Amino acid sequence: MPTPGFPPGTLDATGYPIWLSELDVPGPNHTAHLVRDLEPARALEVLGADPGSAAACTLPEQRPDEFTSLPRAALGDPQCLSVLLATRIGGWTLVFDDADTTFQVGGLDTMRALLDGMRTGDWSALQEPEVPRPVPRAPAEALSASGGPAVTLHANISGLLSLDYAVDGSRAYRTTSDDLDHETAEPPAEVRAAAAAAGIVERAHLEPGETDEAAVTRIGCALAGVTWTMDDLRAAPLLAVALT
């Protein structure tokens, strides 16, 4: 398993970072945001959460069931759109979203209106508002506009993995597990270095030397120098907030 940027014990059998798979449930649908030089409370605010409602928390040793993420369990499994877990380790801040609600910045009101319409049959909130809503923005772009470089990693329940990398408020690179050879765009130098650190995990369904799907996530982690373990996360000050 030639993954030079990742110490032994930090990746699971598929090459996916263990700390990410441990935070979520099987069949994940999560988003992880990493941004340099931005405090966790400010990162939560950029993503549309109220940092004033965030609570210090401790992650339980294990999930209570296969449907509840560790951050959600830490808040007592609230009924909400998603739970965001935020912390800072070294110079990088993490915001983990257990339900992919922050896949774009500025879209929470629309999502709430959609869910309310599905529940009540009243779709009036989706009509054009008198005051225009903010134009949704990619979270990595929004985070990097307020701090340093930012990475957004997304795991879709369908199995698709994606990486967004932004600097100074602008997208610098994007790829997915469907574009493992980076055919869509030429990676910048730091992404090429991260890809070398991510390496390749040999999988039975792939040809020898073929890039594995989880390399997308490892590249994103390598861009931030993140080779964390669950012990690292548990030792860091953690904030959690429910998005409703």
Side-chain angles (χ1 to χ4, degrees):
M1 242 167 61
T3 53
F6 292 82
T10 59
L11 302 175
D12 65 19
T14 71
Y16 201 72
I18 290 174
W19 66 270
L20 266 175
S21 56
E22 285 290 313
L23 283 176
D24 205 0
V25 299
N29 188 49
H30 64 240
T31 304
H33 309 282
L34 296 161
V35 57
R36 197 172 73 194
D37 301 332
L38 194 66
E39 291 299 322
R42 176 59 181 145
L44 287 171
E45 185 178 26
V46 169
L47 293 170
D50 174 14
S53 65
C57 72
T58 300
L59 294 174
E61 286 301 314
Q62 59 185 15
R63 294 184 293 269
D65 53 53
E66 61 179 317
F67 309 107
T68 308
S69 70
L70 285 182
R72 192 171 291 259
L75 285 186
D77 194 13
Q79 296 300 309
C80 60
L81 293 175
S82 67
V83 171
L84 306 186
L85 179 76
T87 190
R88 186 169 184 175
I89 299 178
W92 287 81
T93 286
L94 162 73
V95 178
F96 175 84
D97 176 352
D98 77 343
D100 190 32
T101 305
T102 57
F103 71 98
Q104 61 182 10
V105 173
L108 278 176
D109 287 344
T110 300
M111 181 174 291
R112 291 181 181 117
L114 178 62
L115 291 175
D116 285 343
M118 293 171 65
R119 185 176 67 253
T120 66
D122 179 4
W123 303 96
S124 60
L126 286 173
Q127 296 175 359
E128 193 67 29
E130 294 182 6
V131 178
R133 297 188 181 100
V135 176
R137 190 177 187 188
E141 294 177 14
L143 290 167
S144 70
S146 297
V151 173
T152 293
L153 300 170
H154 176 220
N156 187 282
I157 195 168
S158 68
L160 183 71
L161 305 174
S162 67
L163 156 68
D164 265 297
Y165 172 55
V167 179
D168 295 330
S170 298
R171 176 179 285 169
Y173 189 69
R174 172 175 170 77
T175 193
T176 73
S177 52
D178 285 343
D179 185 29
L180 296 173
D181 294 324
H182 312 289
E183 295 177 352
T184 303
E186 176 65 23
E190 63 268 34
V191 174
R192 293 197 298 272
I200 294 174
V201 173
E202 300 290 346
R203 302 292 308 282
H205 66 284
L206 298 174
E207 296 294 327
E210 186 177 357
T211 305
D212 61 288
E213 293 87 346
V216 170
T217 304
R218 295 197 304 276
I219 291 169
C221 289
L223 279 167
V226 169
T227 57
W228 300 334
T229 65
M230 284 302 297
D231 287 342
D232 295 327
L233 282 178
R234 295 182 192 281
L238 301 172
L239 292 174
V241 60
L243 280 182
T244 57

Short mmCIF file of all heavy atoms in Angstrom, two decimals, residues 11-67:
data_model
loop_
_atom_site.label_atom_id
_atom_site.label_comp_id
_atom_site.label_asym_id
_atom_site.label_seq_id
_atom_site.Cartn_x
_atom_site.Cartn_y
_atom_site.Cartn_z
N LEU A 11 -5.26 4.85 7.69
CA LEU A 11 -6.17 4.57 6.58
C LEU A 11 -6.85 3.22 6.80
O LEU A 11 -6.24 2.30 7.35
CB LEU A 11 -5.41 4.55 5.25
CG LEU A 11 -4.63 5.81 4.86
CD1 LEU A 11 -3.83 5.56 3.59
CD2 LEU A 11 -5.56 7.01 4.70
N ASP A 12 -8.10 3.11 6.32
CA ASP A 12 -8.76 1.82 6.40
C ASP A 12 -8.38 0.96 5.19
O ASP A 12 -7.52 1.35 4.39
CB ASP A 12 -10.29 1.97 6.54
CG ASP A 12 -10.95 2.60 5.31
OD1 ASP A 12 -10.35 2.61 4.22
OD2 ASP A 12 -12.10 3.08 5.45
N ALA A 13 -9.01 -0.20 5.05
CA ALA A 13 -8.61 -1.13 4.00
C ALA A 13 -8.85 -0.59 2.60
O ALA A 13 -8.22 -1.03 1.64
CB ALA A 13 -9.37 -2.45 4.18
N THR A 14 -9.74 0.39 2.47
CA THR A 14 -10.02 0.98 1.16
C THR A 14 -9.13 2.18 0.86
O THR A 14 -9.23 2.76 -0.22
CB THR A 14 -11.49 1.43 1.07
OG1 THR A 14 -11.70 2.58 1.90
CG2 THR A 14 -12.43 0.31 1.47
N GLY A 15 -8.31 2.58 1.84
CA GLY A 15 -7.46 3.75 1.65
C GLY A 15 -8.11 5.04 2.12
O GLY A 15 -7.56 6.13 1.91
N TYR A 16 -9.27 4.93 2.76
CA TYR A 16 -9.98 6.11 3.23
C TYR A 16 -9.49 6.47 4.63
O TYR A 16 -9.24 5.57 5.46
CB TYR A 16 -11.48 5.83 3.27
CG TYR A 16 -12.36 7.05 3.26
CD1 TYR A 16 -12.50 7.81 2.11
CD2 TYR A 16 -13.05 7.46 4.41
CE1 TYR A 16 -13.32 8.94 2.09
CE2 TYR A 16 -13.86 8.57 4.40
CZ TYR A 16 -13.99 9.31 3.24
OH TYR A 16 -14.79 10.43 3.21
N PRO A 17 -9.31 7.76 4.93
CA PRO A 17 -8.86 8.15 6.27
C PRO A 17 -9.80 7.63 7.36
O PRO A 17 -11.01 7.86 7.32
CB PRO A 17 -8.85 9.68 6.22
CG PRO A 17 -8.65 10.01 4.76
CD PRO A 17 -9.41 8.93 4.03
N ILE A 18 -9.23 6.95 8.35
CA ILE A 18 -10.04 6.31 9.38
C ILE A 18 -10.83 7.34 10.18
O ILE A 18 -11.99 7.11 10.53
CB ILE A 18 -9.15 5.45 10.29
CG1 ILE A 18 -8.66 4.21 9.53
CG2 ILE A 18 -9.90 5.03 11.55
CD1 ILE A 18 -7.66 3.36 10.29
N TRP A 19 -10.23 8.49 10.46
CA TRP A 19 -10.94 9.48 11.29
C TRP A 19 -12.22 9.95 10.61
O TRP A 19 -13.23 10.19 11.29
CB TRP A 19 -10.03 10.66 11.65
CG TRP A 19 -9.61 11.53 10.50
CD1 TRP A 19 -8.50 11.38 9.72
CD2 TRP A 19 -10.28 12.70 10.02
NE1 TRP A 19 -8.44 12.39 8.77
CE2 TRP A 19 -9.51 13.21 8.95
CE3 TRP A 19 -11.45 13.38 10.39
CZ2 TRP A 19 -9.89 14.36 8.23
CZ3 TRP A 19 -11.82 14.52 9.69
CH2 TRP A 19 -11.04 15.00 8.62
N LEU A 20 -12.22 10.02 9.28
CA LEU A 20 -13.43 10.43 8.56
C LEU A 20 -14.49 9.35 8.58
O LEU A 20 -15.67 9.62 8.80
CB LEU A 20 -13.08 10.79 7.12
CG LEU A 20 -12.78 12.26 6.82
CD1 LEU A 20 -12.32 12.43 5.37
CD2 LEU A 20 -14.01 13.12 7.08
N SER A 21 -14.08 8.11 8.33
CA SER A 21 -15.06 7.02 8.32
C SER A 21 -15.59 6.75 9.72
O SER A 21 -16.75 6.35 9.88
CB SER A 21 -14.45 5.75 7.71
OG SER A 21 -13.28 5.36 8.40
N GLU A 22 -14.78 6.99 10.76
CA GLU A 22 -15.25 6.78 12.13
C GLU A 22 -16.27 7.83 12.55
O GLU A 22 -17.19 7.55 13.32
CB GLU A 22 -14.07 6.77 13.10
CG GLU A 22 -13.23 5.52 13.06
CD GLU A 22 -13.97 4.32 13.63
OE1 GLU A 22 -14.57 4.44 14.70
OE2 GLU A 22 -13.96 3.27 12.97
N LEU A 23 -16.12 9.06 12.07
CA LEU A 23 -17.06 10.11 12.45
C LEU A 23 -18.46 9.86 11.91
O LEU A 23 -19.45 10.19 12.57
CB LEU A 23 -16.55 11.48 11.95
CG LEU A 23 -15.42 12.13 12.72
CD1 LEU A 23 -14.99 13.42 12.02
CD2 LEU A 23 -15.84 12.45 14.17
N ASP A 24 -18.55 9.30 10.72
CA ASP A 24 -19.84 9.16 10.07
C ASP A 24 -20.37 7.74 10.22
O ASP A 24 -19.78 6.90 10.89
CB ASP A 24 -19.73 9.54 8.59
CG ASP A 24 -21.05 10.00 8.00
OD1 ASP A 24 -22.06 10.03 8.73
OD2 ASP A 24 -21.08 10.32 6.81
N VAL A 25 -21.50 7.50 9.57
CA VAL A 25 -22.16 6.19 9.60
C VAL A 25 -21.76 5.40 8.36
O VAL A 25 -21.24 5.96 7.39
CB VAL A 25 -23.69 6.35 9.65
CG1 VAL A 25 -24.10 7.10 10.91
CG2 VAL A 25 -24.20 7.07 8.41
N PRO A 26 -22.01 4.09 8.33
CA PRO A 26 -21.80 3.34 7.10
C PRO A 26 -22.68 3.88 5.98
O PRO A 26 -23.80 4.33 6.22
CB PRO A 26 -22.22 1.91 7.49
CG PRO A 26 -22.08 1.87 8.98
CD PRO A 26 -22.42 3.24 9.46
N GLY A 27 -22.17 3.86 4.75
CA GLY A 27 -22.90 4.46 3.65
C GLY A 27 -22.95 5.96 3.82
O GLY A 27 -24.03 6.57 3.89
N PRO A 28 -21.80 6.61 3.92
CA PRO A 28 -21.75 8.01 4.36
C PRO A 28 -22.30 8.99 3.33
O PRO A 28 -22.34 8.74 2.13
CB PRO A 28 -20.24 8.24 4.55
CG PRO A 28 -19.59 7.30 3.58
CD PRO A 28 -20.47 6.09 3.58
N ASN A 29 -22.72 10.12 3.85
CA ASN A 29 -23.13 11.25 3.01
C ASN A 29 -22.70 12.51 3.76
O ASN A 29 -23.52 13.25 4.29
CB ASN A 29 -24.63 11.25 2.76
CG ASN A 29 -25.04 12.30 1.73
OD1 ASN A 29 -24.44 12.39 0.66
ND2 ASN A 29 -26.04 13.10 2.05
N HIS A 30 -21.40 12.71 3.81
CA HIS A 30 -20.88 13.80 4.64
C HIS A 30 -20.01 14.76 3.84
O HIS A 30 -19.63 14.49 2.71
CB HIS A 30 -20.09 13.24 5.82
CG HIS A 30 -18.85 12.47 5.43
ND1 HIS A 30 -18.67 11.15 5.76
CD2 HIS A 30 -17.73 12.83 4.75
CE1 HIS A 30 -17.49 10.74 5.30
NE2 HIS A 30 -16.91 11.75 4.69
N THR A 31 -19.73 15.89 4.47
CA THR A 31 -18.81 16.88 3.93
C THR A 31 -17.84 17.26 5.02
O THR A 31 -18.23 17.47 6.17
CB THR A 31 -19.56 18.14 3.45
OG1 THR A 31 -20.54 17.76 2.49
CG2 THR A 31 -18.61 19.12 2.80
N ALA A 32 -16.56 17.35 4.66
CA ALA A 32 -15.54 17.81 5.59
C ALA A 32 -14.86 19.02 4.98
O ALA A 32 -14.39 18.96 3.84
CB ALA A 32 -14.53 16.71 5.89
N HIS A 33 -14.84 20.11 5.73
CA HIS A 33 -14.18 21.34 5.29
C HIS A 33 -12.91 21.53 6.10
O HIS A 33 -12.92 21.40 7.33
CB HIS A 33 -15.09 22.55 5.51
CG HIS A 33 -16.48 22.39 4.95
ND1 HIS A 33 -16.75 22.52 3.60
CD2 HIS A 33 -17.66 22.10 5.56
CE1 HIS A 33 -18.05 22.34 3.41
NE2 HIS A 33 -18.61 22.08 4.57
N LEU A 34 -11.83 21.85 5.42
CA LEU A 34 -10.56 22.14 6.06
C LEU A 34 -10.09 23.51 5.58
O LEU A 34 -10.06 23.76 4.38
CB LEU A 34 -9.51 21.08 5.70
CG LEU A 34 -9.80 19.65 6.17
CD1 LEU A 34 -8.97 18.64 5.38
CD2 LEU A 34 -9.50 19.53 7.67
N VAL A 35 -9.76 24.38 6.52
CA VAL A 35 -9.31 25.72 6.14
C VAL A 35 -8.19 26.17 7.08
O VAL A 35 -8.23 25.93 8.28
CB VAL A 35 -10.49 26.74 6.18
CG1 VAL A 35 -11.15 26.78 7.54
CG2 VAL A 35 -10.02 28.12 5.76
N ARG A 36 -7.20 26.80 6.51
CA ARG A 36 -6.05 27.26 7.29
C ARG A 36 -6.30 28.68 7.80
O ARG A 36 -6.92 29.50 7.12
CB ARG A 36 -4.78 27.22 6.44
CG ARG A 36 -3.48 27.27 7.25
CD ARG A 36 -2.29 27.03 6.37
NE ARG A 36 -2.02 28.19 5.51
CZ ARG A 36 -1.21 28.16 4.46
NH1 ARG A 36 -0.65 27.02 4.11
NH2 ARG A 36 -1.02 29.25 3.74
N ASP A 37 -5.79 28.95 9.00
CA ASP A 37 -5.78 30.30 9.56
C ASP A 37 -7.17 30.90 9.70
O ASP A 37 -7.39 32.08 9.42
CB ASP A 37 -4.90 31.24 8.71
CG ASP A 37 -3.46 30.76 8.61
OD1 ASP A 37 -3.01 30.09 9.55
OD2 ASP A 37 -2.81 31.05 7.60
N LEU A 38 -8.12 30.10 10.15
CA LEU A 38 -9.47 30.58 10.42
C LEU A 38 -9.98 29.86 11.66
O LEU A 38 -9.94 28.63 11.72
CB LEU A 38 -10.39 30.32 9.23
CG LEU A 38 -11.74 31.05 9.23
CD1 LEU A 38 -11.54 32.55 9.08
CD2 LEU A 38 -12.63 30.53 8.10
N GLU A 39 -10.43 30.63 12.63
CA GLU A 39 -10.90 30.02 13.88
C GLU A 39 -12.17 29.20 13.63
O GLU A 39 -12.98 29.54 12.76
CB GLU A 39 -11.17 31.10 14.92
CG GLU A 39 -9.92 31.79 15.43
CD GLU A 39 -8.97 30.83 16.12
OE1 GLU A 39 -9.45 29.91 16.83
OE2 GLU A 39 -7.74 30.96 15.93
N PRO A 40 -12.38 28.13 14.42
CA PRO A 40 -13.57 27.29 14.22
C PRO A 40 -14.89 28.06 14.27
O PRO A 40 -15.78 27.81 13.45
CB PRO A 40 -13.47 26.27 15.36
CG PRO A 40 -12.00 26.13 15.60
CD PRO A 40 -11.45 27.52 15.39
N ALA A 41 -15.02 29.01 15.20
CA ALA A 41 -16.28 29.76 15.29
C ALA A 41 -16.53 30.55 14.02
O ALA A 41 -17.67 30.62 13.53
CB ALA A 41 -16.25 30.68 16.51
N ARG A 42 -15.50 31.15 13.47
CA ARG A 42 -15.66 31.92 12.25
C ARG A 42 -15.97 31.01 11.07
O ARG A 42 -16.79 31.35 10.20
CB ARG A 42 -14.39 32.74 11.98
CG ARG A 42 -14.40 33.52 10.67
CD ARG A 42 -15.54 34.49 10.59
NE ARG A 42 -15.55 35.22 9.31
CZ ARG A 42 -16.62 35.59 8.66
NH1 ARG A 42 -17.83 35.35 9.16
NH2 ARG A 42 -16.54 36.23 7.51
N ALA A 43 -15.34 29.84 11.02
CA ALA A 43 -15.62 28.88 9.94
C ALA A 43 -17.08 28.45 10.00
O ALA A 43 -17.76 28.35 8.96
CB ALA A 43 -14.70 27.68 10.05
N LEU A 44 -17.61 28.19 11.19
CA LEU A 44 -19.01 27.83 11.32
C LEU A 44 -19.91 28.95 10.80
O LEU A 44 -20.89 28.69 10.10
CB LEU A 44 -19.34 27.54 12.79
CG LEU A 44 -18.80 26.23 13.37
CD1 LEU A 44 -19.02 26.20 14.87
CD2 LEU A 44 -19.47 25.03 12.72
N GLU A 45 -19.55 30.18 11.13
CA GLU A 45 -20.35 31.32 10.68
C GLU A 45 -20.35 31.44 9.17
O GLU A 45 -21.39 31.67 8.54
CB GLU A 45 -19.81 32.59 11.32
CG GLU A 45 -20.61 33.84 11.03
CD GLU A 45 -20.06 35.06 11.74
OE1 GLU A 45 -18.84 35.09 12.04
OE2 GLU A 45 -20.84 35.99 11.99
N VAL A 46 -19.18 31.27 8.55
CA VAL A 46 -19.08 31.34 7.09
C VAL A 46 -19.99 30.30 6.44
O VAL A 46 -20.62 30.56 5.41
CB VAL A 46 -17.62 31.16 6.63
CG1 VAL A 46 -17.54 30.97 5.12
CG2 VAL A 46 -16.77 32.35 7.05
N LEU A 47 -20.09 29.14 7.05
CA LEU A 47 -20.87 28.04 6.49
C LEU A 47 -22.37 28.15 6.79
O LEU A 47 -23.15 27.31 6.35
CB LEU A 47 -20.34 26.70 7.00
CG LEU A 47 -18.94 26.34 6.51
CD1 LEU A 47 -18.41 25.12 7.26
CD2 LEU A 47 -18.91 26.10 5.02
N GLY A 48 -22.77 29.20 7.50
CA GLY A 48 -24.18 29.43 7.73
C GLY A 48 -24.70 29.04 9.09
O GLY A 48 -25.90 29.13 9.34
N ALA A 49 -23.81 28.58 9.98
CA ALA A 49 -24.23 28.19 11.33
C ALA A 49 -24.08 29.38 12.28
O ALA A 49 -23.35 30.33 12.00
CB ALA A 49 -23.40 27.01 11.83
N ASP A 50 -24.78 29.31 13.39
CA ASP A 50 -24.66 30.31 14.44
C ASP A 50 -23.63 29.83 15.44
O ASP A 50 -23.91 28.92 16.22
CB ASP A 50 -26.01 30.52 15.13
CG ASP A 50 -25.92 31.46 16.33
OD1 ASP A 50 -24.89 32.15 16.47
OD2 ASP A 50 -26.88 31.49 17.11
N PRO A 51 -22.43 30.43 15.44
CA PRO A 51 -21.41 29.93 16.38
C PRO A 51 -21.80 30.12 17.84
O PRO A 51 -21.32 29.40 18.71
CB PRO A 51 -20.16 30.77 16.02
CG PRO A 51 -20.69 31.96 15.29
CD PRO A 51 -21.93 31.52 14.60
N GLY A 52 -22.71 31.08 18.10
CA GLY A 52 -23.16 31.29 19.46
C GLY A 52 -23.97 30.13 20.01
O GLY A 52 -24.09 29.97 21.24
N SER A 53 -24.52 29.30 19.12
CA SER A 53 -25.30 28.14 19.57
C SER A 53 -24.46 26.87 19.62
O SER A 53 -24.98 25.81 19.97
CB SER A 53 -26.50 27.93 18.65
OG SER A 53 -26.07 27.59 17.34
N ALA A 54 -23.19 26.98 19.29
CA ALA A 54 -22.30 25.81 19.34
C ALA A 54 -21.98 25.47 20.79
O ALA A 54 -21.86 26.34 21.65
CB ALA A 54 -21.02 26.08 18.57
N ALA A 55 -21.85 24.18 21.05
CA ALA A 55 -21.56 23.71 22.40
C ALA A 55 -20.30 22.86 22.39
O ALA A 55 -20.06 22.10 21.45
CB ALA A 55 -22.74 22.88 22.92
N ALA A 56 -19.50 23.01 23.44
CA ALA A 56 -18.36 22.12 23.59
C ALA A 56 -18.87 20.70 23.77
O ALA A 56 -19.92 20.47 24.40
CB ALA A 56 -17.53 22.54 24.80
N CYS A 57 -18.17 19.76 23.19
CA CYS A 57 -18.67 18.38 23.26
C CYS A 57 -17.51 17.40 23.34
O CYS A 57 -16.35 17.74 23.10
CB CYS A 57 -19.55 18.06 22.05
SG CYS A 57 -18.63 17.88 20.50
N THR A 58 -17.86 16.19 23.70
CA THR A 58 -16.93 15.06 23.73
C THR A 58 -17.53 13.96 22.88
O THR A 58 -18.71 13.61 23.04
CB THR A 58 -16.72 14.55 25.17
OG1 THR A 58 -16.18 15.59 25.97
CG2 THR A 58 -15.76 13.36 25.18
N LEU A 59 -16.76 13.43 21.97
CA LEU A 59 -17.26 12.35 21.11
C LEU A 59 -17.39 11.06 21.90
O LEU A 59 -16.49 10.69 22.65
CB LEU A 59 -16.31 12.13 19.93
CG LEU A 59 -16.18 13.26 18.93
CD1 LEU A 59 -15.10 12.94 17.90
CD2 LEU A 59 -17.51 13.52 18.22
N PRO A 60 -18.51 10.35 21.75
CA PRO A 60 -18.64 9.06 22.42
C PRO A 60 -17.64 8.06 21.84
O PRO A 60 -17.11 8.25 20.75
CB PRO A 60 -20.08 8.65 22.11
CG PRO A 60 -20.47 9.45 20.91
CD PRO A 60 -19.70 10.71 20.97
N GLU A 61 -17.42 7.01 22.57
CA GLU A 61 -16.45 6.00 22.13
C GLU A 61 -16.91 5.29 20.88
O GLU A 61 -16.10 4.86 20.06
CB GLU A 61 -16.20 4.99 23.26
CG GLU A 61 -15.34 5.53 24.40
CD GLU A 61 -13.97 6.00 23.91
OE1 GLU A 61 -13.32 5.27 23.14
OE2 GLU A 61 -13.57 7.11 24.29
N GLN A 62 -18.22 5.16 20.71
CA GLN A 62 -18.74 4.50 19.51
C GLN A 62 -20.13 5.03 19.19
O GLN A 62 -20.79 5.64 20.05
CB GLN A 62 -18.79 2.98 19.69
CG GLN A 62 -19.65 2.51 20.84
CD GLN A 62 -19.56 1.02 21.04
OE1 GLN A 62 -18.67 0.36 20.51
NE2 GLN A 62 -20.49 0.45 21.79
N ARG A 63 -20.55 4.81 17.95
CA ARG A 63 -21.89 5.23 17.55
C ARG A 63 -22.94 4.39 18.26
O ARG A 63 -22.75 3.18 18.45
CB ARG A 63 -22.06 5.07 16.04
CG ARG A 63 -21.19 5.99 15.20
CD ARG A 63 -21.52 5.83 13.72
NE ARG A 63 -21.15 4.52 13.21
CZ ARG A 63 -19.96 4.22 12.67
NH1 ARG A 63 -19.05 5.15 12.56
NH2 ARG A 63 -19.72 3.01 12.24
N PRO A 64 -24.06 5.01 18.66
CA PRO A 64 -25.10 4.23 19.33
C PRO A 64 -25.80 3.24 18.40
O PRO A 64 -26.36 2.24 18.84
CB PRO A 64 -26.08 5.29 19.83
CG PRO A 64 -25.85 6.48 18.94
CD PRO A 64 -24.40 6.44 18.58
N ASP A 65 -25.78 3.54 17.08
CA ASP A 65 -26.39 2.66 16.10
C ASP A 65 -25.81 3.00 14.73
O ASP A 65 -24.97 3.90 14.62
CB ASP A 65 -27.92 2.78 16.09
CG ASP A 65 -28.39 4.22 15.92
OD1 ASP A 65 -27.95 4.87 14.95
OD2 ASP A 65 -29.17 4.71 16.76
N GLU A 66 -26.25 2.31 13.70
CA GLU A 66 -25.67 2.50 12.38
C GLU A 66 -26.24 3.72 11.65
O GLU A 66 -25.84 4.01 10.53
CB GLU A 66 -25.89 1.26 11.52
CG GLU A 66 -27.36 0.91 11.28
CD GLU A 66 -27.52 -0.32 10.41
OE1 GLU A 66 -26.79 -0.44 9.41
OE2 GLU A 66 -28.37 -1.17 10.74
N PHE A 67 -27.15 4.45 12.31
CA PHE A 67 -27.78 5.60 11.67
C PHE A 67 -27.35 6.93 12.27
O PHE A 67 -27.74 7.98 11.78
CB PHE A 67 -29.31 5.48 11.77
CG PHE A 67 -29.86 4.17 11.30
CD1 PHE A 67 -30.33 3.24 12.21
CD2 PHE A 67 -29.86 3.86 9.95
CE1 PHE A 67 -30.83 2.02 11.79
CE2 PHE A 67 -30.36 2.63 9.51
CZ PHE A 67 -30.84 1.71 10.43
#
